[in-house]
């Protein structure tokens, strides 16, 4: 009986994996291109007076918001435990250096596991996202919550913790800072000769619009990667 149940679970997971993998891989090109475009604009505005708050940050590094992406169900190998372990380790390292840690949990399993040690640090939770397939609209409540917490001065830095899909047997635990926007090391900068484009409207106005949109895109990509990793881990398990 157990063999029949697990065989059926494997077949269902395999069917879901194909769809989820296609969505995650197809969206990568868009999210990466979006990120490069924002990086190009942000490089010229970083450190400038009047730079958007999502780029400039608060000027402090005292409170960190960690956003772990887990599943609502178990029986998927180390999919959930690896995220919980990474989040717990990061939170403990931050606390050891005197930082304040807050958690915004996506997924029931992560919330339940982290609540044992960090109950007072959990400032929100989202359960059931992507149950019938991940849609971009699913990210908007999460993005709005992150922006609202940042605007209220609840944190200085926000980091996503999720499983990036590589194959059915391999998921890569990934940390990705999203607030303030991190400039990549190879982003264009003012040093040396370079083309100077003219923007209409101004760069700061474009960034004020694009930074929240890019945040939503990166959260969406993380959800897609997690949604592809979960059935892969369940099928393998």
């Amino acid at each position: 009986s157990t063999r029949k149940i697990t065989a059926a679970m494997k077949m269902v997971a395999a069917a879901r994996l194909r769809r989820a993998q296609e969505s995650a891989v197809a969206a990568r090109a868009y999210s990466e291109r979006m990120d490069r475009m924002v990086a190009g604009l942000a490089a010229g505005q970083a450190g400038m007076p009047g730079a958007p708050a999502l780029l400039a940050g608060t000027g402090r590094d005292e409170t960190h918001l960690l956003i772990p992406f887990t599943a609502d169900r178990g029986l998927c190998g180390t999919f959930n435990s690896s995220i919980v372990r990474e989040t717990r380790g990061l939170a403990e390292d931050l606390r050891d250096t005197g930082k304040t840690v807050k958690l915004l949990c996506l997924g029931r399993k992560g919330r339940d596991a982290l609540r044992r040690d960090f109950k007072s640090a959990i400032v929100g939770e989202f359960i059931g996202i992507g149950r019938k397939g991940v849609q971009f609209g699913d990210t908007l409540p999460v993005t709005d919550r992150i922006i609202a917490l940042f605007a209220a001065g609840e944190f200085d830095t926000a980091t996503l913790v999720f499983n990036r899909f590589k194959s059915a047997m391999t998921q890569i635990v990934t940390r990705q800072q999203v607030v303030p926007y991190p400039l990549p090391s190879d982003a264009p900068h003012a040093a040396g000769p370079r083309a100077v484009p003219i923007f209409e409207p101004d760069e700061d106005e474009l960034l004020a619009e694009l930074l929240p949109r890019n945040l939503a895109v990166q959260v969406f990509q993380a959800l897609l990667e997690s949604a592809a990793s979960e059935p892969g881990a369940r099928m393998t398990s």
Side-chain angles (χ1 to χ4, degrees):
S1 297
T2 302
R3 187 180 297 112
K4 289 180 180 179
I5 293 171
T6 54
M9 290 177 62
K10 180 179 179 180
M11 293 174 61
V12 172
R16 291 179 175 174
L17 171 63
R18 286 191 291 270
R19 295 192 297 268
Q21 179 181 354
E22 290 171 358
S23 297
V25 172
R28 283 176 186 170
Y30 180 82
S31 65
E32 290 170 1
R33 181 60 180 166
M34 179 75 170
D35 197 51
R36 287 201 302 270
M37 180 178 66
V38 172
L41 284 167
Q45 292 295 303
M48 300 290 289
L54 289 175
L55 172 62
T58 62
R60 302 184 302 273
D61 186 33
E62 299 300 324
T63 304
H64 287 249
L65 177 68
L66 306 183
I67 309 166
F69 290 67
T70 59
D72 293 327
R73 298 182 300 154
L75 295 178
C76 50
T78 61
F79 174 82
N80 292 312
S81 60
S82 60
I83 295 297
V84 170
R85 184 167 55 250
E86 183 75 10
T87 303
R88 181 180 286 117
L90 178 56
E92 290 174 350
D93 288 345
L94 289 168
R95 284 185 171 181
D96 289 343
T97 59
K99 311 296 185 184
T100 300
V101 174
K102 297 183 179 182
L103 299 172
L104 180 62
C105 298
L106 276 69
R108 180 178 289 108
K109 287 296 182 179
R111 179 205 63 185
D112 292 346
L114 291 167
R115 190 162 52 184
R116 299 168 191 164
D117 300 321
F118 301 96
K119 183 175 182 180
S120 62
I122 297 177
V123 296
E125 59 187 54
F126 291 89
I127 308 300
I129 291 182
R131 184 174 297 169
K132 297 182 179 180
V134 178
Q135 303 295 326
F136 185 72
D138 296 332
T139 69
L140 300 182
V142 181
T143 306
D144 290 345
R145 178 67 168 159
I146 294 172
I147 293 175
L149 288 169
F150 183 67
E154 293 291 327
F155 68 87
D156 303 312
T157 302
T159 303
L160 310 180
V161 184
F162 62 96
N163 277 304
R164 185 177 297 278
F165 178 82
K166 183 176 181 181
S167 69
M169 297 185 66
T170 307
Q171 300 84 38
I172 303 171
V173 178
T174 304
R175 300 180 186 178
Q176 181 180 351
Q177 180 180 317
V178 289
V179 180
Y181 178 78
L183 286 175
S185 58
D186 59 347
H189 49 79
R194 67 184 182 100
V196 182
I198 298 174
F199 293 96
E200 179 64 33
D202 294 336
E203 291 175 84
D204 55 349
E205 293 182 54
L206 284 172
L207 280 172
E209 174 69 24
L210 289 176
L211 284 168
R213 188 173 302 183
N214 183 60
L215 174 59
V217 168
Q218 300 310 317
V219 171
F220 180 50
Q221 184 65 45
L223 277 172
L224 289 174
E225 299 284 350
S226 185
S229 296
E230 181 188 348
R234 179 169 285 111
M235 186 179 70
T236 303
S237 176

